[in-house]
Amino acid sequence: MSQTHPHILEHIYDAALQQSCWPGAIDNLADHLDARAGALLVHDPSITTYSINALSSVYMDLMTSGSADLYLETLAKYEAEQWKFIGLTQVGAILRDEEMGVSKADLDEREDYVFLREEAGILRRLAFRLNDNQGWFDGMTIGFPSHVERVPDSSIEKLSPFLPHLAKAVEIGRTFARLQVHYKAVLTVLDKVSIGLFLTLENGEVILANREAQRILSLQDGLIQTPSNRLVVRDATLSARLQKCINEVARTAGGQAERAQYVLRIPRPSLAHPFLLEVTPLRDANDELGDGFFGALVIVVDPESPFDFNISLFGVFYQLTKSETEVCDLLVRGFQTGQIAEMRGTHYTTAKNQIASVYQKTGTRRRGELVRLVVKTLPPVI
């Protein structure tokens, strides 16, 4: 992807598991864009005020200097307004700073711009959102040297291919940030997650599987582990597809490909609800697994097995009514329209309309998509 910096993707996926890697990843990206600095903000009210708040080295140096106090105390309010504007934009839309409601002339005279120009040599900026999830907000800004009058189109073109990978790294990082907050570790506490997690090599060989993943394998219901320790599917065609997905995202983690994720539905011989698989790149930045591991993280949700999540909080995020929140809870747990109507003492048509409203408000179309959204919004760490 990048001839100048072939390891940018590796740094990004290092940061997915280890937040301390974000400054280096942002530095590499900024350098590739001929920029000077960058900042990543993830606001996650379900965990802490800021679960990730990463700055490139230029900003870090500024923050550790005495002059940073002035910025934080009197000028950060301007930045807050900018983040608010970014929150209203479409995911993936890269905006120049003069496209965010304030003219270039006014920006150049604004106190925060004067400060950053004088103290950090930064003037023009780009800004963008990464994920469209109402459970959290994330955004990123890239700052360019003060001699740059207008961010060149070439920088935007070079930035665009990295957006899905930055978004995926933030999404993965939320789950592992939650683990770090509660357990001060990452790969050694996978059993604390109540959905199935497999860590695999590029060839599909399983390196680690948490307790829920092992339970899913024990069902022998479509997803199995071979004697050679590879994760496969009983259906040969789907098995080949899964292997291709694992191989591709592992190559992405190694900086050799560009795919950020795959989503698969695995039918089950028992005719139970299909397993929901998400295959994403994974790197072990702390070398807990040894040998500079990179591979794939295979996330498996068994819709037949209840997992812990705060449905009330999910309802707040997606502005569900109390009734819709209750219906959403029953939907995720696998109940059908008629069962939901009976359990809630309503007419079938009422339940059907409430289900349609849940899907509409959450931007999903079927139960599997809703389950995935709940898991992504509220990672089920027990």
Side-chain angles (χ1 to χ4, degrees), residues 226-240:
T226 68
S228 60
N229 209 33
R230 293 177 62 236
L231 186 64
V232 299
V233 181
R234 286 196 178 277
D235 179 277
T237 301
L238 270 177
S239 190

Side-chain angles (χ1 to χ4, degrees), residues 19 31 43 61 66 90 94 123 129 143 149 153 166 185 194 219 227 238 242 249 254 267 274 283 292 295 345 365:
Q19 293 181 32
D31 193 29
H43 176 62
D61 291 344
Q90 182 178 355
I94 302 173
L123 181 58
R129 289 178 65 195
E149 294 294 330
D153 293 340
L166 291 165
S194 58
L219 298 176
L238 270 177
L242 174 60
V249 300
R283 284 177 57 85
R365 295 171 296 174

